[in-house]
Amino acid sequence: MSISSDLLEGQVALVTGSSSGIGESVARYLASSGAAVVINYHSEKDEAHKIVEDIKSNGGKAIAIGADVSKEDQVKAMFEQTLQTFGTLHILVNNAGLQKDSAFVDMSLDHWNMVIGINLTGQFLCAREAAKEFLRRGIEPNISKAAGKIICMSSVHQVIPWAGHVNYATSKGGIDMMMRSIAQELAPQKIRVNSIAPGAIKTPINKSAWDTPEAEADLLKLIPSGRVGEVDDIAKAAVWLASDESDYVNGITLFVDGGMTLYPGFRTGG
Ligand code: NAD
């Protein structure tokens, strides 16, 4: 599929945590496919407004809204502002996430709660508000075959256990079951809910894993395809899942990981 500038024409998309990394790229690709886009940010207000200006200067529509996705009142206010500005919502990309890593026995309750609160509860809060609007509005046949689409940013760590990152891996495992349960519940109302599980993608979240040649060589041992992923790899998958090109796809996780989940350690043994 080549990405066409009218694939998502007339649709409104909200991308959480889109002032950097994967979320930024997803937002830019959705905008260049014709969607009006909400750039949600937490602390990076200037970066978010710069992305909005870029999208507008390319003829797109965008606004920036600050909100902590783990806070119910802020999430509700963000959705209200989205609906006031653009009238409705068709696509939610639940992307915001972070890591607070430590050895398991040293992991504080604060860091456990923070990671679960943002990575998992944040996705629940945003998905719930999006689903309410999708159900209120229903299908607009000239816009999309679906009443709405939700894309959850998971990780290969929804299936690969990750020592030193128990809170993060748990949040991503939870996303898988949450996503499939919502998809099962809302499929009859023509709401599609899917996840993307990125492998190692070059972004600020994992800079230390790829920003020196030694670190990158180490990381490549885990990636059969032989390269670290780029944010565009994820953004293209997100456009497909958001569009009617994937109309019969519901409740799946699309692994975009260069084969990281192929257990590459078994190439030479096992
Ligand atoms: P990133 O740090 O660039 O992006 C994370 C974004 O989430 C940032 O913009 C940050 O401001 C935002 N955020 C953090 N806390 C927030 C909060 N409380 N409310 C709203 N926004 C908040 O890193 P990224 O790699 O682009 O990560 C995006 C998503 O992709 C995350 O869910 C991450 O777990 C997932 N992911 C990334 C990789 C990778 O290799 N980069 C791999 C698998 C999964």
Side-chain angles (χ1 to χ4, degrees), residues 31-126:
S32 62
S33 308
V37 175
V38 177
I39 307 292
N40 159 247
Y41 63 90
H42 184 221
S43 50
E44 300 168 325
K45 187 175 181 184
D46 292 346
E47 289 82 350
H49 283 280
K50 162 99 180 45
I51 296 163
V52 166
E53 289 318 311
D54 279 358
I55 290 173
K56 285 182 171 171
S57 67
N58 286 322
K61 293 194 193 100
I63 57 166
I65 304 180
D68 177 340
V69 295
S70 68
K71 303 282 190 302
E72 188 175 27
D73 56 337
Q74 295 186 31
V75 168
K76 286 190 167 183
M78 172 168 69
F79 277 79
E80 275 165 26
Q81 195 182 335
T82 299
L83 301 189
Q84 273 164 16
T85 307
F86 292 124
T88 188
L89 181 77
H90 304 88
I91 299 158
L92 167 68
V93 183
N94 257 336
N95 167 79
L98 83 181
Q99 291 178 213
K100 290 287 171 192
D101 308 326
S102 66
F104 177 58
V105 292
D106 299 327
M107 189 169 282
S108 68
L109 180 60
D110 274 355
H111 279 181
W112 171 268
N113 284 337
M114 183 188 293
V115 172
I116 299 296
I118 293 169
N119 294 14
L120 182 58
T121 309
Q123 293 212 7
F124 155 69
L125 291 170
C126 292

Side-chain angles (χ1 to χ4, degrees), residues 16-23 40-44 67-70 95-98 118-119 123 153-156 168 172 198-206:
T16 66
S18 50
S19 55
S20 65
I22 290 171
N40 159 247
Y41 63 90
H42 184 221
S43 50
E44 300 168 325
D68 177 340
V69 295
S70 68
N95 167 79
L98 83 181
I118 293 169
N119 294 14
Q123 293 212 7
M153 207 54 72
S154 183
S155 163
V156 289
Y168 182 84
K172 297 301 184 180
I201 310 297
K202 288 186 178 176
T203 73
I205 210 173
N206 57 0

